């Protein structure tokens, strides 16, 4: 039996947002947060934060990525060029790879 819970999104994956105000935006995963259910995606879900001037910085508006819940994200298959569900495939040498469940393309290289 394939285990689907282990096909988690990893740093460096290209993902697409499935819901919310950033829907259909794509970006690269820059960080998976400690709890593993929230992810920072490059240039997606940007929030502007006002920073007060300190002794070391001038302050002003800082743009920062805000995390997105994994349930709102899907890995983009390069072959399908869209967000897909992923599965796990085992190679003969026991190596575990994530695959696109739509076309079978391997997503780990
Ligand atoms: Zn695919």
């Amino acid at each position: 039996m394939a285990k689907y819970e282990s096909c988690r999104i990893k740093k460096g994956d290209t993902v697409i947002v499935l819901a919310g105000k950033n829907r259909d935006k794509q970006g690269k995963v820059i960080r998976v947060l400690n709890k593993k259910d929230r992810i920072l995606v490059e240039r997606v879900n940007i929030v502007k934060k006002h920073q007060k001037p300190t002794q070391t910085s001038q302050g002003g508006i800082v743009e920062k990525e805000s995390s997105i819940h994994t349930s709102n994200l899907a890995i983009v298959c390069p072959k399908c060029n869209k967000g897909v569900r992923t599965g796990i495939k085992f190679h003969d040498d026991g190596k575990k790879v994530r695959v696109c469940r739509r076309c079978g393309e391997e997503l780990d290289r």
Side-chain angles (χ1 to χ4, degrees), residues 8-58:
R8 289 190 190 267
I9 295 170
K10 293 187 208 165
K11 188 179 169 184
D13 287 342
T14 300
V15 293
I16 187 164
V17 183
L18 301 173
K21 66 177 159 71
N22 292 295
R23 199 182 155 168
D24 292 334
K25 280 194 186 169
Q26 285 189 25
K28 202 165 231 183
V29 174
I30 47 177
R31 203 169 144 206
V32 178
L33 300 184
N34 289 336
K35 283 185 286 176
K36 295 206 193 296
D37 59 354
R38 297 198 71 89
I39 282 172
L40 290 180
V41 184
E42 193 176 31
R43 305 299 307 156
V44 177
N45 207 22
I46 299 285
V47 289
K48 286 180 180 168
K49 285 187 175 169
H50 292 268
Q51 208 163 62
K52 284 180 184 163
T54 62
Q55 284 179 341
T56 51
S57 84
Q58 279 193 312

